[in-house]
Amino acid sequence: MSNLNKEIQNVQNPAFGAFIIWNFVRGYYSNNKSLVPFPLLFIVLPVIFREDISELLSSTNKPSGLRTFANKFLSTKVLKNDLVSNIHISASNMKELSLRSIQIALYSSLIALDYEEALAFPFTTTERKQEPKSIVKLGKASEKLGFWCSQLTLHEISQILKVRF
Amino acid sequence: MDFQIKKLILWSKEPQFKPKEIEFKTNSVNIITGASRTGKSAIIPIIDYCLASDSCYIPVKTIRNACSWFGIVIEVNQKQVLLARQEPGLQKSTDNMYIASGIEVEIPDIPIKNTNRDSVKKFLDELSSLTFLDIDDENSSNYLGRPSFRDLMAFCFQPQNIVANANTLFYKADTTEHRTKLINIFPYILGAVTPDILAKRQEINNLTRVLKRKEKELLKLKEVSEKWKTEVNGWLAIAQEFGLIKLDALNDLSFEEQIEMLTLISEKRASDSSILNNNIEASSQEIVALRKEESELSLKLSSLKNRYTEMRQLMNSLDGYRESLTIQIERLNISKWLKSLTEDNETCPIFGTKNHPKEQIDKFYTNLIKLEDETGFTNKIPAAFEREFDNVKSEISILSEQITAVQKRIKLQSQIRNSAEHEKYTVENISRFIGQVQYANETFKSLGTDSELIHEIETINNTLSNLRAQVNESAVIQRVNSAINKIGGYAIRLLPLLDSERPNDPIRIDYQNLTVVVSGQDGRDDYLWEIGSGSNWLAYHISVTLAFQLFFNQQSHSPVPGFIVYDQPSQVYFPKKIAARQNEQELDPKLENDEDRIAVKKIFETMSEALKISQSKFQIIVLEHADSSIWGDIHNVNEVCEWRGDNNKLIPEEWIK
């Protein structure tokens, strides 16, 4: 493995992905105990693993919601509208990583799957805070994203994030 | 654009009443007929308000006192979007809005704010795939800003005061601000200026700016670019290390002073040097700092380059970039992909474990596919990021220049550091350095004829003339003219169907004045305001506004919504009762003579004909006194409701306290 690959592996690995996805499911569940539609799990990593996007996610208030967040990319101050258009492509590229992350999250009993309905829910909802600050930050961002998604229909999410499931 | 009104919804201030819904038919003429003061004229302001207008023009008293929220359901590309906005109360308007979308949107009992006006405006801009580029980005005034969805409303409404107005042809074009903006974005709306051209115009502006800077660089040595300054700085730093000069602050020197310093050094001899301990220390610290700066710059540069590559990819998939600004994307299709990972039907698609109950797996797939279908997305998504593309390009070039400057300086310092490590501070080496300084000094002095810079300027000039040829402003004018001729053509086709004095005189759209010019047989061009009679004005208004819709409809992608609302087009034919006192005025005027009845019928026939020409691809809403005895038998006319008689108005009586 080349050095660069190792670097990527250090950051974008399925164990870390499992942690991120669990946080997403946790955030989604926190709104009226709703369960996450399985396809939605595949957009989490492309959003969180992208530095510019997750920075903006962290700096958006929780009550603002997904629409306000997505609109921020359009503003002249941020000028990063292309990133939203790119989420779909990243989701496609990260499919395998997402699946392996989901597997680990399931194995380690972070999340569970209503197999027949294709819906995911968290096994444990206690927030973890002993990890390094940078990791906790990403977990929190993912949780927020999950909460936002729970307020919208799949159709609306796919329109706002421009993802075609 | 396929953008039509499906429903108009009013929510009462009293929670026990259900919201009132008024349903419209797409692709046809919709008529709301009724007596005076039943709320017909409030329809345009309500639609406008829900489409994020800046202030609320919905009439006060009855309507605003009774309603808590106003809403419309629009149908866009076979999907529905509900846009609702709160009644502003004592304020001029409110930003509280509600948005929901879906294949079939649900009407809530009472909307709860989930977005604001600004977001809705952005949503509408994106929905209509409008460009983000300014029409003229050198002038930052609002008039020349980017076209917005709100500007397009000019083509969608003909309220009572406009529909037979000699001075104004378009909605809201009676204020200078809207008028100027509309005139400026006209070439874009007509499809004569594409986002591609706008992007190139912006690039030309950027390049012209760079060119000016480079030329300045070349002419004035005083304000020489960063690149040279850093290099001279490098020379001076080494000289200081060798103890040839003594300086406190290197960076505060002007370029001229630096050159002077160099001249001074080049006149020195090696024996003049006095190597000082702290000089060496300072220089090694500097090299560490430089290395750090270099790596930071390169990190930034590489992430920008990545983004640039991604953009290029997106740009390539932009379908018909010049017109519609949409990307075509394949579905993620998680279900299909999972299926492809396992060969048989008994392996769990998620864990890959064998002998999983087949029924369970089947159920999983069925539900997964159901979830995926819920999104019901078309394969095109709106995308506009030409600004971003431009921005990243210029950022890359700035960073590249910076990094070259830093690297040059590092190279200079480490050359001496590394080349002859053991004899670095020998007299011989110092003399060699002085020789190099002499050479460098000559170079800097002859900057005025610097070939590299001249070459750069030449390249920019070439690119510029190339771009200018591509933008080709005269072709733009040609395209504007051809579009205007087309619209004129449609209007001439519709005009004879209406009641006007000069049905066969050709007309021309004058977009610089936002009006119509009628050329008479005597060879004189008459502006709309020079022609008399309300019925003539009405005829031109109807034929021209319909012609615009027909033109937009026929374009492969037009941002303009496919609906138009007329408020009382027949008003000019109704008998005037000005002298009557308020309480004597009839609430529901009748057309008295047959001539007028025929003229009014012609209006509806023309609308029906326009829809026929477009093959029923847009929607007309008419708010009218005239009843079904006049338009009843015309094709494609749909009566939405008739507001006559007791408790039959926009606002139900029980809503009013």
Side-chain angles (χ1 to χ4, degrees):
Chain A
M1 199 186 283
S2 74
N3 278 339
L4 193 61
N5 277 341
K6 244 187 229 157
E7 286 280 316
I8 293 173
Q9 185 68 20
N10 283 342
V11 189
Q12 307 192 347
N13 64 63
F16 183 43
F19 173 77
I20 295 296
I21 285 184
W22 165 64
N23 272 296
F24 178 84
V25 176
R26 221 163 52 78
Y28 199 101
Y29 186 76
S30 73
N31 183 17
N32 290 328
K33 304 207 178 335
S34 25
L35 309 189
V36 187
F38 190 72
L40 204 53
L41 298 178
F42 287 80
I43 61 145
V44 185
L45 301 187
V47 173
I48 302 295
F49 281 172
R50 179 87 194 209
E51 194 193 353
D52 336 33
I53 305 187
S54 63
E55 275 298 316
L56 210 58
L57 213 168
S58 294
S59 66
T60 306
N61 289 328
K62 197 172 168 183
S64 304
L66 194 66
R67 277 184 214 277
T68 313
F69 165 66
N71 273 334
K72 275 192 177 178
F73 291 92
L74 287 170
S75 68
T76 332
K77 213 175 99 204
V78 176
L79 215 61
K80 283 182 173 169
N81 192 29
D82 54 300
L83 295 186
V84 182
S85 306
N86 214 39
I87 292 177
H88 178 89
I89 297 170
S90 314
S92 179
N93 292 339
M94 287 190 187
K95 259 195 304 209
E96 264 138 63
L97 178 66
S98 291
L99 181 63
R100 274 187 289 142
S101 303
I102 294 168
Q103 285 170 351
I104 289 181
L106 286 166
Y107 262 132
S108 49
S109 298
L110 282 171
I111 63 169
L113 199 61
D114 180 340
Y115 196 85
E116 293 183 0
E117 297 291 324
L119 297 169
F121 58 93
F123 241 133
T124 160
T125 52
T126 335
E127 192 181 352
R128 290 184 66 93
K129 283 182 180 160
Q130 55 271 58
E131 277 73 19
K133 255 191 189 156
S134 55
I135 289 185
V136 170
K137 191 181 166 197
L138 290 177
K140 269 200 171 359
S142 180
E143 185 195 339
K144 202 191 285 172
L145 183 68
F147 178 74
W148 288 343
C149 286
S150 70
Q151 298 171 317
L152 300 159
T153 62
L154 258 187
H155 170 77
E156 285 169 322
I157 296 168
S158 77
Q159 274 198 323
I160 297 169
L161 297 182
K162 305 191 195 321
V163 176
R164 199 172 160 225
F165 289 104
Chain B
M1 186 181 44
D2 184 20
F3 181 117
Q4 303 192 24
I5 313 260
K6 196 77 193 142
K7 273 180 196 168
L8 193 130
I9 307 150
L10 304 176
W11 282 272
S12 168
K13 279 221 167 96
E14 302 295 320
Q16 71 262 34
F17 299 119
K18 271 193 165 173
K20 173 164 181 169
E21 296 178 21
I22 297 167
E23 211 160 327
F24 297 98
K25 231 175 159 175
T26 48
N27 305 320
S28 41
V29 183
N30 290 275
I31 298 180
I32 296 180
T33 171
S36 300
R37 298 190 218 134
T38 48
K40 293 194 304 295
S41 296
I43 305 285
I44 289 182
I46 291 175
I47 297 175
D48 199 26
Y49 189 58
C50 294
L51 290 175
S53 69
D54 54 349
S55 33
C56 179
Y57 298 106
I58 302 170
V60 288
K61 295 282 174 213
T62 320
I63 301 174
R64 273 163 70 169
N65 287 345
C67 298
S68 58
W69 281 76
F70 302 97
I72 51 169
V73 174
I74 48 176
E75 198 175 272
V76 188
N77 307 323
Q78 284 108 46
K79 277 185 294 289
Q80 298 186 344
V81 183
L82 168 63
L83 289 171
R85 193 164 171 191
Q86 198 170 19
E87 195 272 321
L90 294 174
Q91 292 164 289
K92 213 172 117 202
S93 71
T94 166
D95 281 352
N96 293 349
M97 293 195 73
Y98 172 83
I99 181 170
S101 64
I103 297 156
E104 187 99 22
V105 81
E106 219 175 286
I107 312 287
D109 291 335
I110 182 87
I112 295 159
K113 181 201 168 184
N114 68 358
T115 185
N116 56 21
R117 187 174 81 95
D118 227 36
S119 294
V120 171
K121 265 166 69 179
K122 279 181 182 152
F123 166 78
L124 290 169
D125 282 350
E126 224 186 327
L127 194 69
S128 46
S129 298
L130 282 166
T131 178
F132 284 135
L133 292 175
D134 287 346
I135 293 296
D136 184 348
D137 93 316
E138 259 183 308
N139 290 298
S140 52
S141 92
N142 266 340
Y143 298 153
L144 298 160
R146 64 187 188 82
S148 86
F149 182 84
R150 293 293 317 154
D151 300 321
L152 309 177
M153 291 298 99
F155 304 100
C156 296
F157 299 119
Q158 287 279 307
Q160 247 179 79
N161 61 332
I162 305 270
V163 74
N165 190 323
N167 296 311
T168 331
L169 196 55
F170 299 106
Y171 180 55
K172 291 236 172 118
D174 41 1
T175 66
T176 326
E177 196 187 339
H178 280 116
R179 204 183 152 80
T180 322
K181 177 86 184 281
L182 193 59
I183 294 169
N184 282 317
I185 63 173
F186 235 96
Y188 174 79
I189 298 173
L190 295 180
V193 167
T194 58
D196 189 34
I197 290 180
L198 290 180
K200 283 194 176 125
R201 275 191 193 162
Q202 196 148 356
E203 205 178 336
I204 289 176
N205 283 338
N206 287 346
L207 275 179
T208 320
R209 236 170 279 147
V210 176
L211 186 68
K212 270 185 199 151
R213 183 168 64 86
K214 299 256 178 200
E215 280 170 347
K216 231 180 186 178
E217 223 170 81
L218 194 66
L219 290 171
K220 289 186 186 172
L221 283 169
K222 267 185 204 164
E223 286 182 52
V224 88
S225 81
E226 283 299 313
K227 202 159 74 182
W228 294 109
K229 262 190 189 161
T230 344
E231 203 179 322
V232 183
N233 254 333
W235 287 107
L236 291 180
I238 299 163
Q240 187 168 20
E241 194 184 340
F242 282 151
L244 290 168
I245 46 166
K246 219 174 165 186
L247 289 170
D248 298 323
L250 253 174
N251 294 327
D252 292 346
L253 290 177
S254 74
F255 187 67
E256 269 181 342
E257 283 168 327
Q258 285 178 331
I259 295 284
E260 230 168 82
M261 273 291 184
L262 274 189
T263 322
L264 217 73
I265 295 166
S266 63
E267 283 160 4
K268 288 206 172 186
R269 281 182 229 197
S271 54
D272 291 339
S273 82
S274 58
I275 292 159
L276 292 171
N277 199 16
N278 53 349
N279 277 349
I280 297 173
E281 224 166 79
S283 101
S284 33
Q285 267 169 10
E286 202 190 340
I287 221 164
V288 171
L290 279 174
R291 287 255 184 245
K292 205 176 150 209
E293 198 182 335
E294 187 202 11
S295 84
E296 270 167 18
L297 281 172
S298 101
L299 210 66
K300 260 196 224 162
L301 192 61
S302 71
S303 84
L304 270 177
K305 276 193 176 151
N306 268 341
R307 200 170 145 215
Y308 182 74
T309 321
E310 282 171 4
M311 280 187 183
R312 264 253 99 92
Q313 271 175 342
L314 279 171
M315 241 19 178
N316 285 342
S317 54
L318 269 184
D319 169 52
Y321 165 57
R322 329 192 82 228
E323 276 169 2
S324 66
L325 296 176
T326 50
I327 301 181
Q328 263 182 320
I329 50 174
E330 289 295 318
R331 295 180 60 170
L332 277 183
N333 240 334
I334 302 294
S335 56
K336 211 170 157 192
W337 174 66
L338 283 176
K339 235 178 206 170
S340 73
L341 294 179
T342 54
E343 312 90 37
D344 54 68
N345 290 335
E346 268 139 43
T347 306
C348 165
I350 295 170
F351 284 117
T353 44
K354 299 263 174 209
N355 300 327
H356 205 88
K358 191 176 172 300
E359 308 80 62
Q360 245 191 341
I361 293 178
D362 282 345
K363 249 191 168 167
F364 172 72
Y365 278 130
T366 322
N367 280 313
L368 190 56
I369 291 166
K370 217 159 82 194
L371 284 171
E372 285 170 345
D373 287 345
E374 258 177 44
T375 62
F377 211 112
T378 43
N379 58 351
K380 276 184 185 170
I381 58 166
F385 48 85
E386 316 98 310
R387 292 177 308 173
E388 285 80 351
F389 197 57
D390 254 12
N391 186 38
V392 168
K393 262 201 280 190
S394 63
E395 254 179 79
I396 286 180
S397 79
I398 292 169
L399 274 181
S400 307
E401 207 159 289
Q402 272 176 5
I403 209 167
T404 329
V406 171
Q407 280 168 346
K408 222 170 188 173
R409 209 168 143 187
I410 290 175
K411 203 172 143 202
L412 218 80
Q413 297 229 352
S414 49
Q415 234 172 24
I416 294 167
R417 197 161 286 272
N418 300 333
S419 62
E421 198 61 48
H422 51 285
E423 54 184 56
K424 193 164 138 199
Y425 299 111
T426 59
V427 174
E428 195 198 333
N429 203 29
I430 293 173
S431 346
R432 199 181 300 143
F433 169 73
I434 292 175
Q436 283 171 335
V437 169
Q438 274 170 348
Y439 174 72
N441 193 27
E442 297 288 313
T443 320
F444 290 132
K445 278 190 171 163
S446 62
L447 266 184
T449 55
D450 182 83
S451 61
E452 203 179 323
L453 206 52
I454 289 174
H455 181 70
E456 279 172 31
I457 289 173
E458 230 168 66
T459 324
I460 294 174
N461 266 327
N462 283 343
T463 327
L464 269 178
S465 58
N466 205 345
L467 278 170
R468 286 205 179 105
Q470 281 176 46
V471 168
N472 195 354
E473 299 292 347
S474 66
V476 169
I477 295 170
Q478 246 172 41
R479 279 199 291 275
V480 168
N481 286 337
S482 108
I484 281 192
N485 287 340
K486 230 180 229 169
I487 297 168
Y490 282 126
I492 290 166
R493 216 165 133 187
L494 296 172
L495 194 61
L497 305 175
L498 289 155
D499 170 43
S500 74
E501 277 177 296
R502 297 158 65 176
N504 296 316
D505 284 356
I507 59 171
R508 185 168 54 82
I509 317 285
D510 179 354
Y511 86 87
Q512 298 284 11
N513 288 307
L514 293 182
T515 191
V516 176
V517 184
V518 185
S519 14
Q521 277 154 354
D522 49 5
R524 205 186 58 188
D525 281 351
D526 303 320
Y527 283 92
L528 185 61
W529 54 76
E530 296 173 318
I531 297 166
S533 177
S535 59
N536 282 330
W537 300 332
L538 178 78
Y540 289 119
H541 267 264
I542 296 218
S543 56
V544 169
T545 47
L546 287 174
F548 265 103
Q549 280 292 350
L550 282 171
F551 171 78
F552 295 140
N553 209 276
Q554 187 247 351
Q555 277 184 302
S556 63
H557 173 86
S558 167
V560 184
F563 74 87
I564 178 160
V565 191
Y566 294 96
D567 189 2
Q568 289 203 34
S570 66
Q571 57 182 327
V572 293
Y573 297 106
F574 280 98
K576 285 202 177 68
K577 299 212 160 136
I578 304 163
R581 250 181 277 148
Q582 189 85 45
N583 50 0
E584 284 169 11
Q585 258 178 20
E586 220 179 314
L587 269 176
D588 200 3
K590 289 266 180 295
L591 286 168
E592 275 161 4
N593 46 39
D594 280 344
E595 254 171 67
D596 289 339
R597 291 179 69 89
I598 292 167
V600 172
K601 190 171 181 180
K602 278 181 173 174
I603 299 174
F604 295 101
E605 280 169 345
T606 313
M607 289 173 182
S608 171
E609 176 65 19
L611 278 183
K612 203 174 128 197
I613 296 172
S614 79
Q615 290 163 328
S616 295
K617 290 264 178 57
F618 66 100
Q619 181 187 40
I620 301 170
I621 297 173
V622 191
L623 315 163
E624 254 303 338
H625 273 306
D627 54 27
S628 57
S629 67
I630 291 179
W631 40 261
D633 55 348
I634 299 170
H635 178 70
N636 215 352
V637 171
N638 164 48
E639 183 184 275
V640 176
C641 41
E642 181 172 6
W643 289 338
R644 281 193 177 85
D646 281 344
N647 196 9
N648 191 0
K649 314 175 169 183
L650 179 68
I651 306 290
E653 261 162 29
E654 59 270 23
W655 285 22
I656 306 161
K657 272 182 263 179

